[in-house]
Amino acid sequence: MSEETPAQGSKEFEAGLKQARTGLVIEFWDFLKHNKKWWLAPIIISILGLGLLVLLGGSAAAPFIYTLF
């Protein structure tokens, strides 16, 4: 077993902080790509689309959206 000293753990933590932060969309894309869960993409896209309709339904754009259906 190898035990880390506090200095080693601190160096790893600092190295992690210096890495570029990735966004939620990039992490989700990497998850889909690495785990081959492509069936999740249409579900997420449709949920986001419905959420967008709900948000726009309460705004001034509502009359224009209702004419589509």
Side-chain angles (χ1 to χ4, degrees):
M1 291 180 151
S2 65
E3 294 184 21
E4 290 184 359
T5 62
Q8 288 174 334
S10 176
K11 289 178 184 176
E12 290 177 10
F13 181 74
E14 288 176 9
L17 287 176
K18 291 179 182 176
Q19 291 178 348
R21 293 184 62 182
T22 58
L24 181 66
V25 175
I26 305 253
E27 287 198 25
F28 183 67
W29 178 256
D30 287 341
F31 172 77
L32 290 178
K33 191 168 52 171
H34 292 353
N35 293 321
K36 309 243 187 287
K37 305 273 185 195
W38 296 112
W39 55 271
L40 280 175
I43 295 171
I44 298 299
I45 291 169
S46 62
I47 288 173
L48 290 174
L50 286 173
L52 183 65
L53 281 175
V54 167
L55 286 176
L56 291 176
S59 69
F64 301 109
I65 293 173
Y66 294 138
T67 60
L68 295 175
F69 300 103

